Amino acid sequence: MNLLMVPKNVEFEILKIRDKKFKDKKHLRHMENLGFVRGARIEVVNESNANLIVKVKDSRVAIESDVASAITVKEATA
């Protein structure tokens, strides 16, 4: 499932980021530098107009809905 479909305050693990959603490689590289990489734990903290505030690597980051739809996640295991 993609990040737009997940409930708030539940931890998920990033499985894949579809790079075709990004205009060029530098945007994808920026996301990786922020911590959006395969295996990273991510949690939706808040949602407003389909844009999300997520917690990744102990930081909160605001992302747009088109970016969130490019991130495939699964529920994290303990």
Side-chain angles (χ1 to χ4, degrees):
M1 80 180 92
N2 70 37
L3 197 56
L4 285 175
M5 301 169 67
V6 303
K8 289 194 279 186
N9 303 316
V10 178
E11 193 170 74
F12 287 83
E13 181 180 334
I14 296 176
L15 293 178
K16 180 180 176 183
I17 299 177
R18 291 179 287 149
D19 57 352
K20 293 178 182 172
K21 286 275 196 173
F22 296 94
K23 295 176 185 172
D24 55 35
K25 293 290 182 186
K26 68 180 176 182
H27 289 102
L28 180 59
R29 182 71 164 174
H30 179 66
M31 293 296 291
E32 290 171 349
N33 289 337
L34 290 172
F36 292 86
V37 294
R38 185 177 182 188
R41 302 288 176 121
I42 189 167
E43 180 180 330
V44 175
V45 178
N46 202 352
E47 179 180 357
S48 176
N49 298 327
N51 297 319
L52 304 177
I53 297 175
V54 297
K55 185 171 114 179
V56 62
K57 299 226 178 200
D58 295 327
S59 296
R60 291 177 186 221
V61 180
I63 59 174
E64 295 179 346
S65 58
D66 59 338
V67 173
S69 69
I71 300 172
T72 304
V73 296
K74 70 172 185 175
E75 193 161 353
T77 57

